[in-house]
Every structure is written in C-alpha cells, then in structure tokens.
Amino acid sequence: MSDLKLTDSAVVDGAVFASTSFKDHEQVVFCNDAETGLKAIIGIHNTVLGPALGGTRMWNYDNEADAIRDVLRLSRGMTFKASISGLNLGGGKAVIIGDSRKDKTDALMQKFGEYVNSLSGRYITAEDVGITTHDMEMVKLKTDHVTGVPVEMGGSGDPSPVTAYGVFMGMKAAAHYKFGSDNLGGKKVMVQGIGHVGETLVKHLTEAGAEVMINDIHMDRMEEVAAKYQATIHSGDVFDAEFDIYAPCALGATVNPHTIDRLSATVIAGAANNQLADEWRDGATLKEKGILYAPDFLINAGGLINVYSEIAKYDREESLRRTENIYHTTLEIFRKAEVENITTHEAALKIAEARIIQTKAQQN
Ligand code: NAD
C-alpha cells in the first residue's frame, strides 16, 4: 500500500514507538501462529470512553512497517469516531497481513478470535476491508468480543450498508454547504472503491439522480456494479477525471500533495478511513483551495453506530436514526470550522478530543 509511505517515510522498518503514527497508543499486540499462518496486529489506542471497538482489515501489505502504520492510524481514528458519535467506546483496530482472496481460512480467523479473546474485552472486533460476516462468525466461535456477526446468530450483520447511509448523509450536508442545496441530482460523483460500502453508496447516489463514476482495482467488480446501477466505469487514474464530488471508499491517504493539485472536485466526502495522508498539512491545503472536506471519522461512523447497538440489544431503527443525524453534525462542524477559521478536520477533532478529556477528568 504505497500511498501510506507518504505519511511516515522516516519510520524504521518494524518500529512502533518511533513511528510518527504512534500517538499515545495504550497497547499494541502482535499475534503470530505458524500453523494457520496468522500474522496480525491489534492496536488499542484509547479506552477512556469504553472498550476499544474497531474492525479487522486483511490486506497484503508490502512490508510490516506499512501494517504497523496502518493499525496505528486506524485505531487512533476509531477513538475520535466513537467520541464524536457520542458512543461509550474507545478506539481500536486490527490488521491481518495477507491476501484476503487467497490466504484467508476459517482456521486462521478462529485463531485470530482466540487472540481477541485473550484481551478479555479490552478490544472488540468487527469487519473492515477484506473481511466478511462469515469471518466474524468464525471469530465468534472463539470469543464473545465480536460484533457484525450474521443476523441468524443474533448479530447485526454487515455494518457496511449503514456506513454507506451515513456517508450519503454527510455528502448531502456537504453539498448543502458548498452548493446551496443537498439535492445531489445531476452532480457528478466519483466513488473510488466499490466494495461493501462503496456499492451501497452508489445505490443511494443513483437513486438520488447523481451521475456516478466508479473506480476500483478489480474490473469484475466495476462491471458488476456498473450493470446494477448504471454507473460509469472510470478505469484510469481517478484524478484525471472531472467531477464535482470525490468519494474515497477504498484505502486511506488518497488525499495528499500529489492528488490535491489534480483534484477537480470541490467536495470530498467518502467512507475510507484516514483519507488525509497528513491531517494537518493536507487539511490546511484543502481549506486554502476552498475544497470542502467532510471529516472521514465523522461521516463514516454509521457502521460503528450499528455494531455498538449490537453490544446491548440490536435496534436497527435506532441505529439508522442516529446515523441520519450525521447530516446535522456535519453541518455543525462546517459552521464551527468557518467561525473559528480552522480546518473541518480540526473542528471535528476538537469536539471529539474534548469529550475524552472531560470523561477522563471525571474518572480521576
Ligand atoms: P471492501 O474491502 O469491501 O472494499 C474496498 C474496495 O476498494 C474493494 O473493492 C477494493 O478492490 C477497492 N480498492 C482497494 N484499493 C483500491 C485502489 N487503490 N483504487 C480503487 N479501488 C481500490 O471494504 P469496505 O468495507 O467497503 O471499506 C471501504 C473503506 O471504508 C475502508 O477504508 C474502510 O476502512 C472504510 N470503512 C468501512 C466501514 C464499514 O462498515 N465496512 C466503516 C467505516 C469505514
């Protein structure tokens, strides 16, 4: 995943504490099992608000340093996502090193479940890139500290459709702020990454009358989604195309100095975690250029809201209602950023951090 190298080029291969992505994480757990071939890393960033909940990603990282960097950045993002969404959860995430299309087995996922169980609930897992509800079913055989398990097993199923709904709400709020109307009819939207979340987002967008362009590394996926929703395939470089709204729904760090200069869109609103390669530098450049950025950890929280509900007693209606509210929270963040003359990312981060600081003060 070469794009991540942009963020942390100084890191020594394998270093954790020395990584610039290491930001006061509470715990990092390395899991290794020769028999199943499992190599995983669980990152627990912060548990002030509650147990660290975050999905597991399976990805064929170029090297271990990329995997470490990814888990550190992703787990930190979860802390702020839970906080700004008003959930009593901390931030955590896991990565499994390997190709999910080739290396994943039920035995490997069960072994991973044993490792999750060994943390006694400090970390609760769910799906992320490369992981399905079936995989969570395998994890569930070994631990109760898992969400996003199939509905037949009493779970809430795949969180992705709820995530996509929240992203759609955040995008509508951004369109309202930038273009004066939240009607996406006729707007050209580029959805990059049409996996679990991206596909449902395409569905919402085409239903809303948007002109949707799709991009993915897998041609079979693009053909399938294009046929289903009448979206246009863009198989070349995303940043060569002209569109109004950019929806990154693949991996992180796609918003960086190399891409911002070439971006035709004036709104960024997507599902991917850690879209800004460098949250301060790239957030500031977007602000300077008048590109409205809907903070990723705010608008992609629908899935987390949904799996959070599974921990107590699952209530889909309530999860959808809370997810719909992302529209209003996003507008509040845009206003705060404008009034305080700060980036939208910083505005969201300030609110998320304030809740954690306040809770910690009450605990002491
Ligand atoms: P997924 O694995 O189902 O889909 C990801 C898609 O992106 C795949 O189709 C893959 O082929 C494509 N992709 C990978 N690299 C690409 C590239 N360079 N260019 C174009 N396409 C590329 O994953 P998902 O669950 O849909 O998650 C998508 C993003 O949203 C991830 O960043 C994830 O962390 C984030 N997210 C997901 C959820 C959720 O509920 N699933 C919640 C919050 C955030």
Side-chain angles (χ1 to χ4, degrees):
M1 199 162 34
S2 57
D3 53 11
L4 278 175
K5 290 194 174 76
L6 283 165
T7 66
D8 210 2
S9 54
V11 80
V12 181
D13 188 37
V16 177
F17 295 121
S19 165
T20 53
S21 303
F22 185 82
K23 303 248 190 282
D24 283 328
H25 288 68
E26 289 178 11
Q27 194 175 7
V28 181
V29 182
F30 289 79
C31 319
N32 178 54
D33 181 62
E35 211 167 297
T36 58
L38 175 75
K39 284 206 186 309
I41 313 168
I42 301 172
I44 298 178
H45 176 251
N46 188 291
T47 55
V48 169
L49 297 178
L53 197 158
T56 298
R57 171 174 293 188
M58 186 158 184
W59 191 256
N60 214 1
Y61 294 96
D62 287 348
N63 52 58
E64 281 174 34
D66 281 357
I68 292 168
R69 224 174 268 130
D70 212 18
V71 80
L72 293 176
R73 279 165 57 87
L74 288 165
S75 54
R76 175 173 175 262
M78 293 308 292
T79 298
F80 302 127
K81 190 184 304 196
S83 178
I84 202 159
S85 306
L87 308 177
N88 294 327
L89 290 174
K93 201 91 179 177
V95 298
I96 298 177
I97 300 171
D99 184 337
S100 65
R101 287 189 169 197
K102 287 197 287 217
D103 304 329
K104 195 169 55 181
T105 60
D106 286 354
L108 180 140
M109 291 311 301
Q110 286 182 38
K111 183 52 75 174
F112 176 67
E114 286 176 19
Y115 278 103
V116 171
N117 200 47
S118 73
L119 293 169
S120 310
R122 263 175 72 70
Y123 170 67
I124 304 170
T125 197
E127 294 89 344
D128 192 65
V129 173
I131 297 291
T132 65
T133 46
H134 172 78
D135 300 325
M136 290 301 107
E137 198 178 329
M138 293 302 107
V139 170
K140 176 81 179 165
L141 294 175
K142 301 293 178 183
T143 184
D144 283 336
H145 306 304
V146 52
T147 56
V149 293
V151 179
E152 314 81 76
M153 292 177 75
S156 61
D158 180 8
S160 310
V162 189
T163 301
Y165 184 57
V167 171
F168 182 58
M169 288 296 122
M171 191 186 287
K172 279 173 81 69
H176 176 80
Y177 209 76
K178 187 75 186 172
F179 308 127
S181 164
D182 65 13
N183 183 351
L184 294 170
K187 288 278 174 277
K188 281 192 183 165
V189 185
M190 170 67 80
V191 181
Q192 182 186 32
I194 39 160
H196 290 95
V197 181
E199 178 176 344
T200 311
L201 181 62
V202 170
K203 176 176 176 286
H204 287 303
L205 289 169
T206 48
E207 282 170 3
E211 271 181 52
V212 183
M213 301 157 90
I214 54 173
N215 174 267
D216 201 283
I217 47 173
H218 296 297
M219 185 49 94
D220 53 345
R221 273 301 288 159
M222 287 200 282
E223 284 168 354
E224 195 185 326
V225 174
K228 237 165 145 177
Y229 304 105
Q230 300 198 321
T232 311
I233 293 176
H234 179 83
S235 53
D237 187 330
V238 158
F239 301 95
D240 286 341
E242 294 278 324
F243 43 90
D244 306 304
I245 300 173
Y246 170 46
C249 295
L251 300 180
T254 61
V255 181
N256 58 59
H258 305 295
T259 58
I260 298 174
D261 268 353
R262 297 169 54 217
L263 183 67
S264 55
T266 50
V267 167
I268 301 176
N273 284 305
N274 302 325
Q275 291 166 26
L276 307 181
D278 181 308
E279 63 194 77
W280 302 109
R281 177 198 63 200
D282 302 327
T285 311
L286 293 174
K287 179 172 175 286
E288 265 166 43
K289 286 182 167 280
I291 299 171
L292 185 63
Y293 168 66
D296 48 13
F297 65 84
L298 165 63
I299 74 165
N300 73 10
L304 183 66
I305 292 169
N306 200 53
V307 295
Y308 177 67
S309 158
E310 186 178 331
I311 296 174
K313 189 181 177 306
Y314 184 51
D315 181 343
R316 192 167 178 90
E317 290 311 308
E318 172 63 9
S319 294
L320 287 172
R321 196 195 56 72
R322 286 184 85 148
T323 302
E324 197 163 289
N325 199 44
I326 286 176
Y327 181 93
H328 299 290
T329 316
T330 307
L331 281 179
E332 277 167 33
I333 293 297
F334 291 153
R335 288 191 198 108
K336 181 179 168 68
E338 193 169 337
V339 168
E340 296 183 22
N341 193 22
I342 55 178
T343 71
T344 54
H345 177 82
E346 190 178 356
L349 202 60
K350 270 183 153 184
I351 291 184
E353 280 177 336
R355 181 167 169 238
I356 297 166
I357 291 166
Q358 197 183 12
T359 307
K360 191 160 184 160
Q362 284 162 359
Q363 287 167 354
N364 289 335

